[in-house]
Amino acid sequence: MYIAVPAEILGIILPLLLGVAFLVLAERKVMAFVQRRKGPDVVGSFGLLQPLADGLKLILKEPISPSSANFSLFRMAPVATFMLSLVARAVVPFDYGMVLSDPNIGLLYLFAISSLGVYGIIIAGRSIYSKYAFLGALRSAAQMVPYEVSIGLILITVLICVGPRNSSEIVMAQKQIWSGIPLFPVLVMFFISRLAETNRAPFDLPEAEAESVAGYNVEYARDAILNSSLLAEANVPGFRRLILTKTRGGSLPT
Protein backbone atom coordinates (compact mmCIF):
# COMPACT_ATOMS: atom_id res chain seq x y z
CA MET A 1 0.00 0.00 0.00
CA TYR A 2 1.34 3.43 -0.95
CA ILE A 3 0.86 6.34 1.45
CA ALA A 4 0.97 9.89 0.09
CA VAL A 5 3.32 11.98 2.22
CA PRO A 6 4.32 15.60 1.52
CA ALA A 7 7.87 14.65 0.49
CA GLU A 8 6.57 12.31 -2.23
CA ILE A 9 4.10 14.90 -3.49
CA LEU A 10 6.81 17.58 -3.61
CA GLY A 11 9.03 15.09 -5.43
CA ILE A 12 6.43 15.04 -8.21
CA ILE A 13 5.43 18.72 -8.27
CA LEU A 14 8.85 20.40 -8.11
CA PRO A 15 10.46 18.45 -11.00
CA LEU A 16 7.30 19.07 -13.03
CA LEU A 17 7.45 22.84 -12.48
CA LEU A 18 11.16 22.94 -13.29
CA GLY A 19 10.59 20.80 -16.34
CA VAL A 20 7.81 23.11 -17.51
CA ALA A 21 10.05 26.17 -17.14
CA PHE A 22 12.91 24.72 -19.16
CA LEU A 23 10.65 23.02 -21.71
CA VAL A 24 9.36 26.48 -22.58
CA LEU A 25 12.96 27.63 -23.00
CA ALA A 26 13.85 24.59 -25.12
CA GLU A 27 10.81 25.10 -27.34
CA ARG A 28 11.71 28.75 -27.88
CA LYS A 29 15.30 27.78 -28.72
CA VAL A 30 14.17 25.19 -31.28
CA MET A 31 11.68 27.58 -32.85
CA ALA A 32 14.40 30.25 -33.07
CA PHE A 33 16.74 27.75 -34.77
CA VAL A 34 14.07 26.77 -37.29
CA GLN A 35 13.33 30.43 -38.03
CA ARG A 36 17.06 31.29 -38.23
CA ARG A 37 17.18 33.72 -35.33
CA LYS A 38 18.92 33.77 -31.94
CA GLY A 39 16.06 33.24 -29.52
CA PRO A 40 16.40 33.98 -25.78
CA ASP A 41 20.10 34.46 -25.00
CA VAL A 42 20.30 37.63 -22.85
CA VAL A 43 19.23 36.57 -19.35
CA GLY A 44 21.92 34.32 -17.92
CA SER A 45 24.42 32.16 -19.78
CA PHE A 46 22.87 31.02 -23.09
CA GLY A 47 19.54 32.39 -21.83
CA LEU A 48 19.19 29.70 -19.14
CA LEU A 49 17.67 32.16 -16.66
CA GLN A 50 15.00 33.31 -19.10
CA PRO A 51 12.27 31.12 -17.50
CA LEU A 52 12.91 32.78 -14.13
CA ALA A 53 12.70 36.23 -15.71
CA ASP A 54 9.46 35.31 -17.48
CA GLY A 55 7.96 33.95 -14.26
CA LEU A 56 8.91 37.09 -12.33
CA LYS A 57 7.45 39.30 -15.05
CA LEU A 58 4.14 37.43 -14.98
CA ILE A 59 3.95 37.47 -11.17
CA LEU A 60 4.37 41.26 -11.17
CA LYS A 61 1.62 41.77 -13.73
CA GLU A 62 -1.64 43.26 -12.51
CA PRO A 63 -4.44 40.66 -12.24
CA ILE A 64 -7.40 41.97 -14.20
CA SER A 65 -10.88 40.48 -14.07
CA PRO A 66 -13.55 41.53 -16.60
CA SER A 67 -16.51 43.21 -14.93
CA SER A 68 -18.94 40.89 -16.71
CA ALA A 69 -17.10 37.68 -15.76
CA ASN A 70 -18.20 35.12 -13.20
CA PHE A 71 -15.34 35.72 -10.78
CA SER A 72 -15.36 32.27 -9.14
CA LEU A 73 -15.32 30.35 -12.42
CA PHE A 74 -12.89 32.82 -13.97
CA ARG A 75 -10.32 32.15 -11.24
CA MET A 76 -11.08 28.46 -10.82
CA ALA A 77 -10.65 27.41 -14.47
CA PRO A 78 -6.86 27.81 -14.85
CA VAL A 79 -6.11 26.42 -11.39
CA ALA A 80 -8.35 23.37 -11.88
CA THR A 81 -6.88 22.64 -15.30
CA PHE A 82 -3.31 22.82 -14.03
CA MET A 83 -4.17 20.63 -11.01
CA LEU A 84 -5.41 17.93 -13.38
CA SER A 85 -1.99 17.78 -15.01
CA LEU A 86 -0.47 17.29 -11.55
CA VAL A 87 -2.79 14.56 -10.26
CA ALA A 88 -2.36 12.60 -13.49
CA ARG A 89 1.27 11.96 -12.52
CA ALA A 90 0.24 10.16 -9.32
CA VAL A 91 0.03 6.78 -11.09
CA VAL A 92 3.05 7.19 -13.38
CA PRO A 93 5.96 5.01 -12.11
CA PHE A 94 9.43 6.55 -11.98
CA ASP A 95 10.93 3.14 -11.12
CA TYR A 96 9.51 -0.17 -9.98
CA GLY A 97 7.85 0.61 -6.65
CA MET A 98 8.59 4.35 -6.97
CA VAL A 99 5.06 5.59 -7.60
CA LEU A 100 2.73 7.73 -5.51
CA SER A 101 -0.26 5.47 -6.09
CA ASP A 102 -0.39 2.20 -8.01
CA PRO A 103 -4.03 1.10 -8.46
CA ASN A 104 -5.08 -1.78 -10.67
CA ILE A 105 -6.88 0.67 -12.94
CA GLY A 106 -3.95 3.07 -13.35
CA LEU A 107 -4.32 3.28 -17.13
CA LEU A 108 -8.04 4.02 -16.90
CA TYR A 109 -7.30 6.66 -14.25
CA LEU A 110 -4.86 8.39 -16.60
CA PHE A 111 -7.36 8.35 -19.42
CA ALA A 112 -10.14 9.71 -17.17
CA ILE A 113 -8.00 12.55 -15.80
CA SER A 114 -6.78 13.60 -19.25
CA SER A 115 -10.38 13.65 -20.47
CA LEU A 116 -11.33 16.20 -17.78
CA GLY A 117 -8.92 18.82 -19.15
CA VAL A 118 -11.48 20.00 -21.70
CA TYR A 119 -13.80 21.18 -18.91
CA GLY A 120 -11.28 23.74 -17.67
CA ILE A 121 -11.06 25.24 -21.16
CA ILE A 122 -14.84 25.36 -21.58
CA ILE A 123 -15.26 26.98 -18.13
CA ALA A 124 -12.52 29.52 -18.91
CA GLY A 125 -14.22 30.54 -22.15
CA ARG A 126 -17.75 30.57 -20.75
CA SER A 127 -17.00 32.38 -17.47
CA ILE A 128 -16.03 35.60 -19.28
CA TYR A 129 -19.37 35.97 -21.09
CA SER A 130 -17.52 37.02 -24.23
CA LYS A 131 -18.42 35.50 -27.59
CA TYR A 132 -14.77 35.57 -28.71
CA ALA A 133 -13.54 33.61 -25.68
CA PHE A 134 -16.48 31.20 -25.87
CA LEU A 135 -15.94 30.49 -29.57
CA GLY A 136 -12.23 29.97 -28.84
CA ALA A 137 -13.11 27.49 -26.08
CA LEU A 138 -15.46 25.60 -28.41
CA ARG A 139 -12.76 25.45 -31.06
CA SER A 140 -10.27 24.06 -28.56
CA ALA A 141 -12.76 21.51 -27.20
CA ALA A 142 -13.67 20.44 -30.74
CA GLN A 143 -10.02 19.56 -31.30
CA MET A 144 -9.39 17.86 -27.95
CA VAL A 145 -12.43 15.58 -27.78
CA PRO A 146 -11.89 13.64 -31.06
CA TYR A 147 -8.24 13.02 -30.24
CA GLU A 148 -9.26 11.76 -26.80
CA VAL A 149 -11.30 9.09 -28.57
CA SER A 150 -8.32 8.05 -30.70
CA ILE A 151 -6.07 7.92 -27.62
CA GLY A 152 -8.58 5.66 -25.88
CA LEU A 153 -8.66 3.24 -28.81
CA ILE A 154 -4.85 3.24 -28.94
CA LEU A 155 -4.53 2.48 -25.22
CA ILE A 156 -7.01 -0.38 -25.63
CA THR A 157 -4.62 -1.83 -28.23
CA VAL A 158 -1.78 -1.67 -25.69
CA LEU A 159 -3.99 -3.36 -23.06
CA ILE A 160 -4.85 -6.19 -25.43
CA CYS A 161 -1.16 -6.83 -26.13
CA VAL A 162 0.21 -6.33 -22.60
CA GLY A 163 -2.64 -7.52 -20.39
CA PRO A 164 -2.51 -5.69 -17.02
CA ARG A 165 -3.97 -2.24 -16.43
CA ASN A 166 -1.57 -1.47 -13.60
CA SER A 167 1.13 1.02 -14.68
CA SER A 168 3.99 -0.81 -12.96
CA GLU A 169 2.90 -4.14 -14.38
CA ILE A 170 2.66 -2.65 -17.87
CA VAL A 171 6.29 -1.57 -17.52
CA MET A 172 7.41 -5.01 -16.29
CA ALA A 173 5.52 -6.71 -19.13
CA GLN A 174 7.95 -5.05 -21.55
CA LYS A 175 11.09 -6.74 -20.21
CA GLN A 176 11.56 -8.81 -23.35
CA ILE A 177 10.56 -6.24 -25.97
CA TRP A 178 9.15 -2.73 -25.92
CA SER A 179 5.50 -2.51 -26.92
CA GLY A 180 6.42 0.35 -29.23
CA ILE A 181 8.41 -1.95 -31.52
CA PRO A 182 5.64 -4.33 -32.67
CA LEU A 183 3.11 -1.51 -32.27
CA PHE A 184 5.16 1.17 -34.02
CA PRO A 185 2.27 2.47 -36.22
CA VAL A 186 0.14 2.73 -33.07
CA LEU A 187 2.99 4.62 -31.35
CA VAL A 188 3.08 7.16 -34.19
CA MET A 189 -0.69 7.65 -34.00
CA PHE A 190 -0.48 8.02 -30.22
CA PHE A 191 2.28 10.63 -30.54
CA ILE A 192 0.24 12.67 -33.04
CA SER A 193 -2.92 12.42 -30.93
CA ARG A 194 -1.13 13.60 -27.79
CA LEU A 195 0.41 16.51 -29.69
CA ALA A 196 -3.07 17.57 -30.76
CA GLU A 197 -4.51 17.14 -27.27
CA THR A 198 -1.80 19.28 -25.66
CA ASN A 199 -2.17 21.96 -28.39
CA ARG A 200 1.46 21.77 -29.48
CA ALA A 201 2.62 22.71 -32.97
CA PRO A 202 1.38 22.01 -35.59
CA PHE A 203 -1.89 21.56 -33.67
CA ASP A 204 -1.67 24.89 -31.80
CA LEU A 205 -4.66 26.51 -33.53
CA PRO A 206 -6.77 26.70 -30.30
CA GLU A 207 -4.18 28.97 -28.66
CA ALA A 208 -4.60 31.43 -31.56
CA GLU A 209 -1.27 33.13 -30.86
CA ALA A 210 -1.14 34.74 -34.32
CA GLU A 211 -4.60 36.28 -34.06
CA SER A 212 -5.35 39.76 -32.71
CA VAL A 213 -8.17 38.16 -30.69
CA ALA A 214 -6.80 35.11 -28.93
CA GLY A 215 -8.70 31.96 -28.06
CA TYR A 216 -10.37 30.99 -24.79
CA ASN A 217 -7.77 32.91 -22.74
CA VAL A 218 -8.36 36.28 -24.41
CA GLU A 219 -9.37 38.06 -21.17
CA TYR A 220 -6.69 36.54 -18.94
CA ALA A 221 -3.78 38.81 -18.03
CA ARG A 222 -1.44 37.50 -15.34
CA ASP A 223 -3.27 34.18 -15.21
CA ALA A 224 -2.65 33.57 -18.91
CA ILE A 225 0.47 31.54 -18.01
CA LEU A 226 -1.73 29.15 -16.01
CA ASN A 227 -4.43 29.01 -18.63
CA SER A 228 -2.39 28.59 -21.80
CA SER A 229 1.36 28.02 -21.94
CA LEU A 230 1.78 26.50 -18.48
CA LEU A 231 -1.19 24.20 -19.01
CA ALA A 232 0.13 22.99 -22.33
CA GLU A 233 3.71 22.60 -21.16
CA ALA A 234 2.69 20.91 -17.91
CA ASN A 235 1.01 18.19 -19.96
CA VAL A 236 4.13 17.61 -22.07
CA PRO A 237 6.22 15.85 -19.32
CA GLY A 238 3.23 13.65 -18.52
CA PHE A 239 2.78 12.98 -22.24
CA ARG A 240 6.44 11.97 -22.59
CA ARG A 241 6.28 9.77 -19.47
CA LEU A 242 3.09 8.12 -20.70
CA ILE A 243 4.78 7.18 -23.98
CA LEU A 244 7.78 5.78 -22.12
CA THR A 245 5.57 3.79 -19.73
CA LYS A 246 3.16 2.31 -22.24
CA THR A 247 5.38 1.70 -25.26
CA ARG A 248 9.09 1.95 -24.32
CA GLY A 249 9.46 -0.01 -21.13
CA GLY A 250 9.24 2.93 -18.74
CA SER A 251 11.99 2.79 -16.13
CA LEU A 252 13.45 -0.51 -17.36
CA PRO A 253 17.13 -0.30 -18.41
CA THR A 254 17.60 -0.03 -22.17
Side-chain angles (χ1 to χ4, degrees):
M1 180 179 179
Y2 294 88
I3 301 175
V5 296
E8 293 178 347
I9 296 174
L10 287 176
I12 293 176
I13 294 177
L14 292 182
L16 175 62
L17 294 178
L18 288 174
V20 166
F22 287 98
L23 273 172
V24 173
L25 177 63
E27 183 180 36
R28 293 175 64 183
K29 288 280 192 181
V30 172
M31 292 175 67
F33 175 78
V34 171
Q35 298 166 6
R36 300 184 69 179
R37 54 185 177 85
K38 286 186 177 181
D41 63 345
V42 176
V43 184
S45 179
F46 301 104
L48 291 178
L49 297 181
Q50 186 66 45
L52 299 179
D54 290 340
L56 182 62
K57 177 191 71 174
L58 286 161
I59 289 172
L60 296 177
K61 275 189 174 182
E62 179 184 2
I64 299 174
S65 300
S67 58
S68 62
N70 184 318
F71 184 78
S72 300
L73 294 178
F74 183 77
R75 293 298 178 194
M76 181 192 73
V79 176
T81 310
F82 182 61
M83 288 301 297
L84 287 173
S85 66
L86 292 179
V87 299
R89 297 175 67 88
V91 298
V92 177
F94 297 90
D95 199 351
Y96 190 76
M98 291 181 61
V99 57
L100 188 63
S101 179
D102 205 11
N104 290 328
I105 55 171
L107 189 59
L108 299 180
Y109 170 86
L110 273 176
F111 183 58
I113 292 296
S114 65
S115 301
L116 293 176
V118 68
Y119 290 102
I121 291 175
I122 290 292
I123 292 172
R126 187 66 185 90
S127 65
I128 303 171
Y129 298 106
S130 166
K131 60 182 179 182
Y132 298 110
F134 186 55
L135 289 174
L138 290 179
R139 179 171 59 180
S140 182
Q143 174 173 298
M144 293 177 67
V145 172
Y147 284 102
E148 282 285 350
V149 176
S150 68
I151 289 173
L153 295 175
I154 290 168
L155 292 181
I156 289 174
T157 305
V158 176
L159 284 179
I160 293 174
C161 296
V162 174
R165 290 167 294 178
N166 180 284
S167 296
S168 297
E169 295 301 325
I170 290 176
V171 171
M172 297 306 296
Q174 300 177 68
K175 275 187 174 181
Q176 302 298 325
I177 185 172
W178 291 346
S179 298
I181 294 176
L183 299 177
F184 183 74
V186 175
L187 174 60
V188 173
M189 289 188 290
F190 181 70
F191 180 77
I192 294 172
S193 299
R194 287 298 293 182
L195 278 181
E197 191 191 6
T198 52
N199 295 336
R200 309 318 299 156
F203 302 98
D204 54 350
L205 179 64
E207 294 185 6
E209 293 179 348
E211 299 178 12
S212 56
V213 177
Y216 57 90
N217 58 340
V218 62
E219 297 289 349
Y220 282 87
R222 185 182 70 180
D223 297 329
I225 186 173
L226 276 176
N227 209 31
S228 57
S229 62
L230 185 57
L231 164 63
E233 294 290 350
N235 281 307
V236 171
F239 156 44
R240 181 181 62 84
R241 194 70 194 175
L242 185 61
I243 287 182
L244 290 176
T245 301
K246 309 311 177 193
T247 61
R248 291 190 56 194
S251 55
L252 292 174
T254 57

